[in-house]
Amino acid sequence: MEMRQLRHFMAVVTEGGFTAAARAELIVQSALSTSIRNLERELGADLFDRTGRQVVLTEAGRALVPQARALLAGAEAARQVVAAVAGLETGRVAIGTIQTLTCVDLPAELAAFHGEFPGIQVSVRDATVDELTDALRAGELDLAYLAPDARELPEGLTVHATWHEELVLITAPGHRLAGAGRVRISDLTEEPFVDFRAGTGLETAVRRLAAHCGLRRRITCDVTQAGLLVELVRAGIGVAFVPRPIGERAGLPCLAIRQPEPGRTVVLAGRGPRPRNPAATALLDHLMSRATEPPMGGTRPGTSAGRDNARPPRNARGDRLTST
């Protein structure tokens, strides 16, 4: 059994098919299929059910997934130790992010990091909070920006920094509320809404806000991409709650919410106080050294070396926020 074969196997699992996996691994599909077949032959069992249109894991394949993750994580850790000796001239770091991250300009931060460590490859994954949390715990990600809402992070994960994001209501330019500036939750009972699909951190925060205020939203459309949500609102299909910078960048009317003022908590999390991966340590140090101003409309983050010692962050008015 070769690490390359396990990497190809996990690529099919992660990407959902052989074509996408081959593209991600930068090899032709026939070579990836041969690699998987050789692995199946060596293990003596089929790992995927190829009879339908979709590639589905067999029972043997599902049993292999956690072991493959652990072996690949161990191999990557060994490579990173060597990279540390070489002075971070090479290496790889994987960071996850929620799609609607606004408190940090992640592309700009990664560009600055690349300028300092051009030999380190950075892998970025955007997914739901649950998927990012699982990947972080499994060792597939070194760091992740999460929006855990009111839930505590699983044991073993550390919060390095915490931000509070203001949520606003965005509308189409010609909407009856477009020029109001502020709006009460009670004024939205008849409004159609565009929302993210269930499972995203923003959808959870908005759902909790609506339940707290007794607002029964009529969802006319749910999406998985922030850009599409904005364009649907612009077209007049409905209104939506989003972090203020998303609405402002789109040039749409942004209405502040009266009583309560809605928001969500975003954290930068990792496994343990310091990553074992030297490249991840370098990226964490870079991100924390830059987390001194409130970029893109976010509030200044609170930081901690561990979850138990986190300093409660404060919002723009100086109110203390609940630590995750």
Side-chain angles (χ1 to χ4, degrees), residues 94-98 132-133 136 141-146 158 267-270:
I95 184 169
T97 179
I98 52 176
L132 293 174
T133 301
L136 193 59
L141 295 174
D142 298 293
L143 301 166
Y145 287 99
L146 308 173
T158 296
V267 303
L268 174 61

Side-chain angles (χ1 to χ4, degrees), residues 5 8 15 30 82 91 115 184 229 253 309 321:
Q5 293 171 326
H8 293 165
E15 300 295 333
S30 59
V82 175
R184 294 185 178 89
L229 178 141
N309 299 321
L321 303 175

Side-chain angles (χ1 to χ4, degrees), residues 93-98 101 106 123-129 131-137 140-148 153 157-161 163 266-271 275 280 283-284 287:
V93 57
I95 184 169
T97 179
I98 52 176
L101 181 71
L106 188 56
S123 176
V124 183
R125 181 190 304 184
D126 70 272
T128 66
V129 172
E131 290 170 338
L132 293 174
T133 301
D134 289 344
L136 193 59
R137 296 183 68 191
E140 297 172 7
L141 295 174
D142 298 293
L143 301 166
Y145 287 99
L146 308 173
L153 291 179
L157 297 186
T158 296
V159 172
H160 298 293
W163 292 263
V266 176
V267 303
L268 174 61
R271 295 186 307 281
L283 178 58
L284 176 61
L287 293 173

Side-chain angles (χ1 to χ4, degrees), residues 50-134:
R50 303 170 175 84
T51 57
R53 291 186 176 182
Q54 292 184 332
V55 176
V56 180
L57 282 167
T58 63
E59 285 297 323
R62 282 192 286 271
L64 179 60
V65 168
Q67 298 299 325
R69 279 177 170 168
L71 287 170
L72 290 172
E76 183 63 27
R79 282 192 289 268
Q80 295 298 342
V81 169
V82 175
V85 175
L88 290 173
E89 294 179 2
T90 62
R92 184 176 182 273
V93 57
I95 184 169
T97 179
I98 52 176
Q99 187 187 140
T100 54
L101 181 71
T102 61
C103 56
V104 174
D105 188 348
L106 188 56
E109 296 300 344
L110 294 182
F113 178 76
H114 174 71
E116 187 175 358
F117 300 100
I120 295 179
Q121 178 186 352
V122 180
S123 176
V124 183
R125 181 190 304 184
D126 70 272
T128 66
V129 172
D130 288 341
E131 290 170 338
L132 293 174
T133 301
D134 289 344

Side-chain angles (χ1 to χ4, degrees), residues 41 53 62 78 183 201 216 231 254:
R41 188 178 302 111
R53 291 186 176 182
R62 282 192 286 271
V183 66
R216 290 190 175 184
E231 293 309 314
C254 297

Side-chain angles (χ1 to χ4, degrees), residues 220-251:
T220 58
C221 191
D222 62 84
V223 301
T224 59
Q225 296 294 322
L228 180 57
L229 178 141
V230 166
E231 293 309 314
L232 288 170
V233 171
R234 191 190 308 276
I237 292 180
V239 298
F241 290 109
V242 298
R244 179 177 287 277
I246 290 180
E248 291 179 344
R249 288 199 302 265

